Amino acid sequence: MTGARPSGLIRDPRSSSRSTLLELLLDVFYIATFAQLSMQLARDLSWRGLANTVILLLAAWWTWSVIAIATDFFDPRERVIQRVLATGMLGVGLMAAAIPSAFAEHGLLFAGAYVGIHLARGLMLVRALRGHFAQLRVKLFLFWFAFSGLLWLAGALTDPELRRALWAAALVIEYIVAALRFPTPGLGRVPLEQYDRLTPHFGERYQQIAILVIGDLVLASTLKLSILGFATARVVIFLAAIAAALLLWQIYVFRTELLVEKSVRRHPRRAVRLAPYVYVVLVAGVIATTAGVDLALAEPFGSTHSGLVALVVGGSFLFLLGRVIFEYELLDRLSRSRIGWLVLMIAVMPALKLLAPIFVVIVNAGILFGVTRTDAWRGRRDAAA
């Protein structure tokens, strides 16, 4: 590890785009987080339970996206950045453990870990960047996370209803001020040119987290099957879930290299500001589908309620929608075939309530297979043009 010289902290755009082993280790902690979130959603399908899961997901995702931006702007081989990553691991581990009871007795544990991640990162970087132009950027981040942190901690000390409102307000503030470049009285905003410092490493980090969340569908389905037993219907659902995971991967990687190239060369500013908001839609989609498969494995031939359909097919809908938005924003292309599949998903959802859960999972995998086939046709057509 090297020392924390302010000038050496800034990543060289010509450096390797590969993630460090410590960054990959951090991502492992998010596997536990995604698994906890999908199980939490499967346990409570009420509107209140959905709101709780969304709040926890947005909080967990924000820790990952802010750290990913930091390790793209700063050199993750530097000692202080490695401390930021290590602190993030500790905080995310505590957050993941607290998820099942975050709106009960462990609210302070979840909120304290979340606030601690952001404040520790900011304080370490402010100190390391003394006298450097990038210190202003960190101060702006730190100011707003300290402000929203008050809402997080206050919410942790109240009843669940008020906690939900305060935590939601904190997230609204954080996501909006980030989109506005952290405007701060007396300090201004993050300069636009700093969003142009995008490297291929940024695209690789987002690819990795997308693959990891798809892996949660595989992990959760495998564990559920091993617990419930290998009845024929459950094995069929399991195989359909694995197929869905592979198809989601194929949908995601279609033109991904082109997206990364365009992000770095043509639209770095747009990519770095858009990615956190679009990818959370992809992540939410896979978590929802995972929760739906969990419910289907529990009762393959039980009654199918609208919530299960919304999780299984609606989750795939969110994943595909996020991918369509990102491609449109960065490549200026709107896939008509994928739009058609999105419309079909919405159209078939009411009818799927008439089928048993096992068939809902199978139909979802069939739709995803159709998406990949039209993608393949588009690829051959574009190659011939």
Side-chain angles (χ1 to χ4, degrees), residues 196-234:
D196 292 332
R197 296 181 57 88
L198 185 65
T199 71
H201 168 268
F202 183 82
E204 179 174 312
R205 293 295 291 131
Y206 273 88
Q207 289 178 41
Q208 288 164 350
I209 200 65
I211 299 305
L212 279 178
V213 73
I214 293 174
D216 177 53
L217 176 55
V218 177
L219 173 64
S221 302
T222 302
L223 293 177
K224 192 73 172 183
L225 179 66
S226 66
I227 292 171
L228 296 176
F230 295 86
T232 302
R234 291 194 175 102

Side-chain angles (χ1 to χ4, degrees), residues 114-184:
Y114 177 80
V115 174
I117 291 172
H118 292 304
L119 295 188
R121 180 190 64 251
L123 292 172
M124 284 188 283
L125 289 176
V126 164
R127 180 181 178 185
L129 291 166
R130 193 173 299 151
H132 195 276
F133 76 90
Q135 189 188 55
L136 173 62
R137 170 195 182 103
V138 177
K139 285 181 177 179
L140 300 178
F141 279 53
L142 182 59
F143 173 87
W144 281 107
F145 281 120
F147 178 78
S148 65
L150 296 175
L151 295 176
W152 281 100
L153 296 176
L157 300 174
T158 61
D159 62 87
E161 293 298 327
L162 185 55
R163 180 178 306 170
R164 189 176 301 109
L166 290 173
W167 285 5
L171 286 167
V172 169
I173 291 172
E174 291 167 2
Y175 276 71
I176 289 179
V177 299
L180 298 176
R181 296 186 287 124
F182 297 92
T184 305

Side-chain angles (χ1 to χ4, degrees), residues 22-44:
L22 198 58
E23 288 176 280
L24 296 177
L25 182 58
L26 171 67
D27 288 350
V28 172
F29 284 77
Y30 284 91
I31 296 177
T33 303
F34 298 147
Q36 286 278 47
L37 288 167
S38 60
M39 289 188 293
Q40 174 78 4
L41 185 56
R43 281 192 296 265
D44 187 356

Side-chain angles (χ1 to χ4, degrees), residues 269-280:
R269 187 178 299 176
R270 188 185 305 178
V272 76
R273 299 184 68 185
L274 183 68
Y277 299 91
V278 174
Y279 267 77
V280 72

Side-chain angles (χ1 to χ4, degrees), residues 267-323:
H267 303 300
R269 187 178 299 176
R270 188 185 305 178
V272 76
R273 299 184 68 185
L274 183 68
Y277 299 91
V278 174
Y279 267 77
V280 72
V281 178
L282 276 74
V283 171
V286 180
I287 288 174
T289 298
T290 302
V293 170
D294 184 289
L295 294 173
L297 283 167
E299 294 186 72
F301 292 105
S303 60
T304 299
H305 49 83
S306 57
L308 186 144
V309 175
L311 289 177
V312 176
V313 182
S316 296
F317 175 91
L318 287 176
F319 185 91
L320 184 58
L321 177 64
R323 192 63 176 73

